[in-house]
Amino acid sequence: MSVKKKREPLAATKARRVRAHARPSMVPFGEARSSLTQQIEVSSERDVIILRNSQPAAVLISYERYEALLDHIEDLEDRLSIVEREDDTVSFSEALGDLDSDS
């Protein structure tokens, strides 16, 4: 007997990928430069914050995470545009009334 796994909505999957990263790794600039290949591998598991003079200067993230972040931003922008347009909409009955008055 097999148990079907319930599929979660695509938006929830994307959001989980965006947020489900472990605590970032902090690496001094010189170390990051000398071990770039290793830092790229680390970035597949968690973000790598590159420090210059003990201050965050850059972040190294995996390409998959980068894509997920861009998708998430696009989804949020779409939702925001819908919310911003709510005052510009009319109900179906109002639109129907406008059509009836034109004839």
Side-chain angles (χ1 to χ4, degrees):
M1 178 172 136
S2 67
V3 176
K4 274 194 170 180
K5 189 174 182 181
K6 187 177 178 184
R7 291 187 74 175
E8 64 182 319
L10 183 59
T13 304
K14 287 181 190 177
R16 191 170 36 77
R17 277 197 319 238
V18 169
R19 285 182 249 134
H21 260 259
R23 184 179 200 122
S25 171
M26 300 184 108
V27 180
F29 180 80
E31 183 182 330
R33 181 175 43 192
S34 65
S35 62
L36 184 58
T37 302
Q38 179 186 355
Q39 298 309 320
I40 290 171
E41 290 173 16
V42 169
S43 75
S44 69
E45 298 297 320
R46 59 184 171 177
D47 300 341
V48 177
I49 298 174
I50 300 171
L51 306 172
R52 181 178 278 162
N53 299 323
S54 301
Q55 296 296 316
V59 178
L60 180 62
I61 61 174
S62 67
Y63 186 75
E64 179 184 80
R65 180 156 161 77
Y66 170 77
E67 285 288 314
L69 286 169
L70 289 180
D71 288 346
H72 192 65
I73 289 169
E74 186 177 332
D75 290 346
L76 292 173
E77 287 173 339
D78 290 346
R79 290 180 188 178
L80 180 60
S81 70
I82 291 168
V83 168
E84 289 174 341
R85 286 185 285 168
E86 281 183 349
D87 293 334
D88 295 339
T89 61
V90 295
S91 68
F92 180 74
S93 57
E94 288 177 294
L96 190 57
D98 287 345
L99 290 173
D100 287 341
S101 66
D102 287 341
S103 14

